[in-house]
């Protein structure tokens, strides 16, 4: 027979053993894991947000529906949703439109929400592009909504292009035109998964200002650059090399017009054609 102290010790040991077994049976899920989903937390957070903020005018059914849609975005979806929603409503976008766009970003990774906020503020800022709300929203959505890879190149490209457009003396374009060009070039960079701002700026400089280039007017240079930059990051290099060779006395000895035509042909071959 075990004495009283030994019996207490044994019972305590058995209790701790059973408790530790129960604890260890609980799944230890890494907080940063993307495989699992804290859907209930996201639903409840969204539900409580609209319940507490009655000024947005959603009824109970609308709150439930919105919360359910947000919960599909899994862990941190409610946080992403609320950040976008609050930003848009604060600048005057109506509640239901704000919900629509915020729900879209709730389904994406955190980095896309942060990129949206940064780029929207950049385009809307009166000290920068100073676009109206709708134009700022349109451009920001175009750059971020359907992006599937890293957003860092997109943000860097767009900001570099806008800075060049606003500050370089050869540009002097209206802010909306500047934003449109920056968006177009940045989207080209997205297509090729590479930053394109440097190539774009080099292209413009070669066409307008470089003594070895054709030195054409700004409108023509912009048009030609926007056309050829679509052929990828090597389009500038191919164009400048081809033009220099075509115009050279030791090369093709072409006129400026013919050298431009030849260089354009070479730039358009910057993307390899699929082989049969």
């Amino acid at each position: 027979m075990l004495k009283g102290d030994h019996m207490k010790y044994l019972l305590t040991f058995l209790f701790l053993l059973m408790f530790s077994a129960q604890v260890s049976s609980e799944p230890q899920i890494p907080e940063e894991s993307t495989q699992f989903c804290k859907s209930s937390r996201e639903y409840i957070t969204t539900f409580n947000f609209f319940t507490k903020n009655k000024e947005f005018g959603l009824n109970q059914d609308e709150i439930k529906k919105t919360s359910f849609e947000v919960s599909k975005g899994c862990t941190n979806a409610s946080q992403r949703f609320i950040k976008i929603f609050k930003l848009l409503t604060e600048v005057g976008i109506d509640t239901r439109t704000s919900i629509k766009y915020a729900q879209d970003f709730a389904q994406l990774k955190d980095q896309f929400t942060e990129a949206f906020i940064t780029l929207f503020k950049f385009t809307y800022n009166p000290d920068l592009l100073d676009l109206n709300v709708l134009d700022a929203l349109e451009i920001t959505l175009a750059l971020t909504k359907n992006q599937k890879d890293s957003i860092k190149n997109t943000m860097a490209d767009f900001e570099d292009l806008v800075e060049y457009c606003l500050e370089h003396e050869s540009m002097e374009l209206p802010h909306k035109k500047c934003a449109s060009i920056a968006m177009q070039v940045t989207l080209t960079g997205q297509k090729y998964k590479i930053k394109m701002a440097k190539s774009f700026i080099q292209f413009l400089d070669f066409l307008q200002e470089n003594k070895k280039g054709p030195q054409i007017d700004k409108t023509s240079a912009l048009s030609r650059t926007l056309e050829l930059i679509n052929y990828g990051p090597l389009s500038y290099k191919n164009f400048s090399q081809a033009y220099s060779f075509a115009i050279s006395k030791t090369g093709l000895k072409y006129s400026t017009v013919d050298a431009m035509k030849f260089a354009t042909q070479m730039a358009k071959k910057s993307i390899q054609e699929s082989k049969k």
Side-chain angles (χ1 to χ4, degrees), residues 43 53 155 184 202 205 213:
Y43 181 99
N53 294 278
M155 295 175 67
Q184 184 176 339
Q202 288 176 325
D205 177 74

Side-chain angles (χ1 to χ4, degrees), residues 33-48:
S33 175
T34 57
Q35 184 179 356
F36 307 107
C37 183
K38 295 184 177 180
S39 53
S40 293
R41 185 186 72 175
E42 307 313 318
Y43 181 99
I44 293 167
T45 302
T46 309
F47 184 90
N48 288 340

Side-chain angles (χ1 to χ4, degrees), residues 52 92-93 98 103 110 134 150 165 215 230 235 272 276:
K52 292 176 182 178
I93 303 294
S98 298
Q103 281 179 344
D110 291 348
L134 294 180
S150 173
C165 186
Q215 295 183 305
N230 285 312
S235 58
Q272 186 176 23
K276 296 181 180 179

Side-chain angles (χ1 to χ4, degrees), residues 184-200:
Q184 184 176 339
V185 176
T186 302
L187 289 175
T188 300
Q190 282 187 5
K191 181 171 66 174
Y192 295 113
K193 299 181 181 180
I194 191 171
K195 291 191 285 188
M196 295 290 288
K198 184 178 180 180
S199 294
F200 176 82

